[in-house]
Amino acid sequence: MVTMIGGFFAVSAELLLPGLAILCRNWPVLQAVATLPLILLLSYWCASVFPESPRWLLATDHIPQAKRSLQEFTKRNGVCLQDEMYPGETLMSIDSAYGEDHQPKYYSVLELRQTRVIWKNCLILSFTFIGTGIQYCFTRNLNVYSFYLKYFLRVITGALACVFICLCVNHFGRRGILLLSAIVTGLSSLLLLALTELQSGLVLVLSVVGLLFSQALAMLSAFFACEVMPTVVGGCFGLVMAAGCVGMAASSMMELQDKRGFFLHHVIFASFAILSVLCIMLLPESKRKSLPDSLKEGESQRRPPLFLSQQKKDCLPLLCTRPPVSEYNPDNYSRLVSATRKMLTKDNLPYRITGPSVLPLL
């Protein structure tokens, strides 16, 4: 939810940027006005403003810091601090679960070398650079229109992508919507490659649709990484976001080169989009599942079936409503009896089963 709210804030900032440019009327002034709010990020170093996450502290065995963080959240939320009301049971449960001899643990991105599933998920989700890099292939076809129409069309499709993710991702699942976005993005880019020399309404429609789903692909990759990556290794999400910046840099380089090499750029990113369709099927589904805290929990994630959802295994009834199906087959049983009888009556057996012997009278 926090990731999607951040996406809406980014779209809102892009919508307000043209109005801010009109008010500044000067490029250096606009650059200064856009850069000065970044100073607020320095407040992240102040623990009183942004305290550390208790979830991460407990996952890395920072028990005293976790207690202080919980007490800080308790004070800010206005909860009573009496032992019998709130933190008594919680802090006592923490003391019972974690002993006093626990030493803090620190994990880095290099820990992924010892994993098998986590690094695979991180590598697949790093395909977010496709969603950011391939957007230039779609916006290039809008150059015949005015700059403002192209700009606002790109921003509006970004807002629609946020709304689309919020409405569909909780119902159809993260992996399904991510796969749909990759398929539509790849098909749109391939069709535009075939219609490069044409300037028709079909090209405009494919460009808008591809732009919409490419932004949904980039947003949902970051959102998916927040739920799949373990809490103890926060650098995995940074790797996914860095891959998105690589795609943005590729688009900027195409603008600086005066659009030379555009066809090769389009072919490479279209190929990556088709390749990502096959890789996304290997991702686990995180809908309605707890977030992994440790590396062990991240390694235990498995890929569910894509189309055949086995709901009976997840939601077992309390009482069996259907009678069990009998495995008895009279034909097979009669064949087994006859085969056993023939085998026991053979003369070459080491023993012979016969009836009791009757002595003659004379």
Side-chain angles (χ1 to χ4, degrees), residues 47-89:
S48 60
V49 180
F50 288 97
E52 188 57 72
S53 170
R55 188 186 188 95
W56 180 83
L57 292 174
L58 290 175
T60 54
D61 293 340
H62 291 74
I63 308 304
Q65 293 87 339
K67 292 180 181 180
R68 289 195 296 268
S69 181
L70 288 174
Q71 292 176 354
E72 184 68 22
F73 280 111
T74 303
K75 294 178 181 178
R76 294 187 180 185
N77 293 330
V79 180
C80 184
L81 291 177
Q82 296 179 3
D83 292 340
E84 66 271 16
M85 290 295 295
Y86 171 66
E89 297 182 359

Side-chain angles (χ1 to χ4, degrees), residues 56-245:
W56 180 83
L57 292 174
L58 290 175
T60 54
D61 293 340
H62 291 74
I63 308 304
Q65 293 87 339
K67 292 180 181 180
R68 289 195 296 268
S69 181
L70 288 174
Q71 292 176 354
E72 184 68 22
F73 280 111
T74 303
K75 294 178 181 178
R76 294 187 180 185
N77 293 330
V79 180
C80 184
L81 291 177
Q82 296 179 3
D83 292 340
E84 66 271 16
M85 290 295 295
Y86 171 66
E89 297 182 359
T90 303
L91 298 181
M92 288 178 61
S93 62
I94 293 176
D95 292 333
S96 60
Y98 301 90
E100 297 181 356
D101 56 344
H102 273 74
Q103 298 295 328
K105 301 178 182 178
Y106 298 93
Y107 299 87
S108 64
V109 182
L110 299 178
E111 300 289 339
L112 299 181
R113 296 180 301 174
Q114 304 175 1
T115 62
R116 186 176 61 89
V117 178
I118 299 175
W119 77 265
K120 178 198 68 176
N121 297 336
C122 184
L123 180 63
I124 295 174
L125 290 174
S126 296
F127 276 107
T128 181
F129 79 92
I130 299 173
T132 55
I134 205 172
Q135 292 178 16
Y136 174 77
C137 303
F138 300 121
T139 55
R140 179 182 179 273
N141 298 314
L142 304 176
N143 289 335
V144 295
Y145 304 98
S146 63
F147 170 78
Y148 295 102
L149 178 61
K150 183 179 72 173
Y151 178 82
F152 282 106
L153 188 61
R154 183 178 62 83
V155 176
I156 290 173
T157 52
L160 292 178
C162 284
V163 176
F164 169 73
I165 292 175
C166 292
L167 294 179
C168 299
V169 77
N170 197 34
H171 182 70
F172 297 101
R174 280 70 165 158
R175 192 177 63 149
I177 300 300
L178 188 65
L179 182 62
L180 175 64
S181 302
I183 291 174
V184 176
T185 302
L187 290 178
S188 301
S189 60
L190 289 178
L191 291 175
L192 286 176
L193 278 175
L195 304 174
T196 304
E197 302 299 331
L198 298 179
Q199 293 293 337
S200 60
L202 181 60
V203 175
L204 176 61
V205 172
L206 289 175
S207 300
V208 174
V209 172
L211 191 60
L212 171 65
F213 281 94
S214 63
Q215 296 190 68
L217 176 64
M219 294 179 186
L220 189 54
S221 297
F223 173 65
F224 206 178
C226 294
E227 295 186 342
V228 174
M229 296 296 109
T231 306
V232 294
V233 186
C236 298
F237 179 70
L239 291 177
V240 175
M241 298 301 295
C245 295

Side-chain angles (χ1 to χ4, degrees), residues 280-298:
I280 289 173
M281 296 182 182
L282 302 176
L283 290 174
E285 179 57 61
S286 60
K287 184 181 72 172
R288 298 187 180 94
K289 293 183 180 179
S290 58
L291 301 179
D293 288 333
S294 61
L295 295 177
K296 182 179 180 180
E297 294 177 1

Side-chain angles (χ1 to χ4, degrees), residues 240-352:
V240 175
M241 298 301 295
C245 295
V246 171
M248 296 180 185
S251 298
S252 301
M253 289 176 63
M254 292 302 300
E255 292 284 353
L256 293 176
Q257 291 181 359
D258 197 13
K259 304 175 185 177
R260 288 178 296 180
F262 164 73
F263 184 79
L264 180 61
H265 175 89
H266 198 160
V267 169
I268 291 175
F269 276 93
S271 304
F272 274 119
I274 300 301
L275 179 62
S276 66
V277 173
L278 302 176
C279 296
I280 289 173
M281 296 182 182
L282 302 176
L283 290 174
E285 179 57 61
S286 60
K287 184 181 72 172
R288 298 187 180 94
K289 293 183 180 179
S290 58
L291 301 179
D293 288 333
S294 61
L295 295 177
K296 182 179 180 180
E297 294 177 1
E299 284 289 296
S300 63
Q301 294 178 334
R302 291 294 179 266
R303 175 182 60 87
L306 183 62
F307 299 106
L308 301 177
S309 59
Q310 302 176 359
Q311 297 181 358
K312 294 182 180 179
K313 292 186 177 181
D314 295 334
C315 304
L316 293 176
L318 295 178
L319 297 177
C320 185
T321 56
R322 295 182 180 180
V325 180
S326 176
E327 297 181 357
Y328 171 73
N329 191 342
D331 295 334
N332 296 337
Y333 183 73
S334 62
R335 293 174 184 173
L336 177 64
V337 171
S338 61
T340 305
R341 184 181 300 172
K342 291 180 181 179
M343 183 183 68
L344 294 178
T345 55
K346 287 183 177 180
D347 296 334
N348 56 357
L349 291 177
Y351 58 88
R352 183 182 178 88

Side-chain angles (χ1 to χ4, degrees), residues 10-24 27 30-31 33-34 147 151-152 154-155:
V11 171
S12 302
E14 289 184 343
L15 287 174
L16 295 176
L17 184 59
L20 189 63
I22 294 174
L23 293 176
C24 294
W27 174 255
L30 177 62
Q31 184 69 26
V33 171
F147 170 78
Y151 178 82
F152 282 106
R154 183 178 62 83
V155 176

